[in-house]
Amino acid sequence: MFDFRLKVFDTVAKRLNFTKAANELNITQPAVTKHIKEIESNLNIKLFERNGTKIKLTKAGEILLKYTEEIFSVYQKMEFEIGQLQEKQKGTLRLGASTTIAQYVLPPILAEFRKRFPEIQLSLVIQNSEKIEDLLANHKIDVGLIEAQIKNRTFHYFPFMKDEIVLVSRQNHSISTKNSIKLGDLKNIPLVFREPGSGTLETIDLALKSKSMKLNELNIEIQLGSTESIKSYVLHSDSLAFLSIQSILQELKNQTLTIIDVKNLVIERHFNFIVPEGEQSKLVNLFIEFCNRYNLK
């Protein structure tokens, strides 16, 4: 780290506790206080308001935290790119991804990865989230990217990118003239869903349960095994479907599909990396770090 004081400030700002920050940084509490005072002295402004044992960020502290996070992101990207100049990476990396991620998110990332590391061979298996977990458990892939919620303790899950699932109809559907519909209206509208085991279906199910509604209460016309088949079905029917915003960007641009707002229902999720618990291979860590750096673009 080029300026350890910024790391100290960042840790204190996020923990709002000098003792916890000192323990996390493996330095003494007086050292933490010294670093913070030096920054405040250089900037000639207080970064924290102190009330007994409690602290909170001042307006200046909030501004510094914002820029500190941006600085750290630049540091990480710089260190990653410089680090890759020091050695050539070789080998084979077996990837598994659920359908939405594989079709609409990964392709440009994989293309850029191959340009950067041409001697690393990539293979990609596309299955629903449940099957990706099975492949990882049976050592058929090295790392997975899935849409489902965390549930298996033998794996380590961590976020890749945010996504939103929205209700869509064809552009010339009669319902598209409405600004929004009520949650209860979903019981009367023919709907198309993904198959059981799909991470998208699981996320929708959890969101509806949080609103005291169950999937089996809805008018499910058909369940299909891919997002592309669902989009085509919706374009040729009066049915609606819940789909990832990532999967309909082109249709929104072409004005063939439109988003229907459902009052009091927002379905957000993270796409997640999934790896076995324990230390990962160098190639797995390289790929994950590259994906995270790509998202900073």
Side-chain angles (χ1 to χ4, degrees):
M1 188 61 61
F2 289 92
D3 193 333
F4 184 68
R5 289 178 301 177
L6 285 181
K7 177 63 176 176
V8 173
F9 166 75
D10 181 75
T11 307
V12 175
K14 289 176 178 175
R15 301 293 175 266
L16 292 179
N17 186 295
F18 278 66
T19 301
K20 289 181 180 179
N23 291 336
E24 184 172 327
L25 294 166
N26 199 29
I27 60 177
T28 65
Q29 186 172 330
V32 171
T33 302
K34 178 175 179 290
H35 285 303
I36 296 299
K37 285 184 176 179
E38 286 175 352
I39 299 175
E40 290 179 330
S41 177
N42 287 339
L43 296 176
N44 196 29
I45 197 167
K46 291 291 184 183
L47 301 173
F48 296 95
E49 293 179 2
R50 296 163 176 82
N51 181 12
T53 58
K54 296 182 179 179
I55 62 171
K56 69 176 183 177
L57 286 167
T58 63
K59 182 63 177 178
E62 292 174 355
I63 293 172
L64 180 59
L65 179 60
K66 172 191 170 186
Y67 284 104
T68 298
E69 290 174 341
E70 292 181 11
I71 289 168
F72 287 166
S73 291
V74 173
Y75 278 172
Q76 290 170 359
K77 188 174 182 180
M78 175 193 66
E79 289 170 351
F80 173 73
E81 293 190 6
I82 290 176
Q84 302 319 307
L85 297 176
Q86 297 172 359
E87 60 178 294
K88 276 194 171 183
Q89 301 289 351
K90 298 181 180 180
T92 300
L93 186 61
R94 302 169 302 166
L95 308 173
S98 52
T99 310
T100 301
I101 299 172
Q103 289 185 319
Y104 308 106
V105 179
L106 271 185
I109 298 176
L110 296 181
E112 190 65 29
F113 186 87
R114 283 286 295 152
K115 288 178 186 177
R116 187 72 62 85
F117 308 107
E119 296 189 42
I120 297 178
Q121 299 301 312
L122 299 176
S123 65
L124 174 63
V125 177
I126 304 173
Q127 291 284 358
N128 65 35
S129 295
E130 189 175 80
K131 291 180 180 177
I132 292 299
E133 291 189 342
D134 290 340
L135 289 170
L136 192 66
N138 290 299
H139 310 290
K140 299 292 180 64
I141 58 174
D142 303 307
V143 57
L145 292 103
I146 64 171
E147 309 154 31
Q149 300 294 313
I150 296 172
K151 56 185 179 182
N152 191 325
R153 293 183 180 179
T154 63
F155 299 134
H156 178 54
Y157 303 74
F158 48 101
F160 167 42
M161 65 180 293
K162 286 184 178 179
D163 182 42
E164 182 178 1
I165 296 173
V166 293
L167 183 66
V168 300
S169 74
R170 55 182 168 81
Q171 182 69 38
N172 58 351
H173 194 295
S174 59
I175 202 170
S176 66
T177 59
K178 298 183 179 181
N179 291 328
S180 62
I181 63 172
K182 297 178 181 178
L183 188 61
D185 293 338
L186 292 175
K187 296 180 180 180
N188 303 314
I189 297 171
L191 296 168
V192 188
F193 285 106
R194 284 286 304 276
E195 79 288 357
S198 159
T200 298
L201 182 65
E202 181 181 341
T203 302
I204 296 166
D205 186 28
L206 289 171
L208 292 174
K209 283 178 179 176
S210 72
K211 300 295 181 180
S212 300
M213 183 177 288
K214 297 179 180 179
L215 276 175
N216 59 17
E217 296 178 298
L218 304 183
N219 180 14
I220 301 177
E221 182 166 314
I222 192 171
Q223 289 183 268
L224 299 173
S226 75
T227 299
E228 286 299 307
S229 61
I230 290 176
K231 287 194 293 184
S232 182
Y233 192 97
V234 169
L235 286 169
H236 294 88
S237 74
D238 288 328
S239 299
L240 277 65
F242 283 100
L243 294 171
S244 163
I245 191 74
Q246 298 291 333
S247 71
I248 60 168
L249 295 178
Q250 191 61 47
E251 286 77 13
L252 293 177
K253 183 179 179 180
N254 295 339
Q255 297 185 338
T256 55
L257 292 177
T258 188
I259 296 174
I260 307 299
D261 181 54
V262 183
K263 290 182 180 179
N264 301 316
L265 182 66
V266 176
I267 308 178
E268 295 179 330
R269 62 178 175 179
H270 267 103
F271 293 146
N272 292 307
F273 290 107
I274 174 174
V275 294
E277 283 288 356
E279 187 174 353
Q280 303 307 310
S281 74
K282 193 173 184 179
L283 286 184
V284 167
N285 290 330
L286 173 68
F287 178 74
I288 291 172
E289 192 168 0
F290 181 87
C291 290
N292 288 331
R293 298 287 74 73
Y294 188 93
N295 280 341
L296 293 175
K297 291 171 65 175

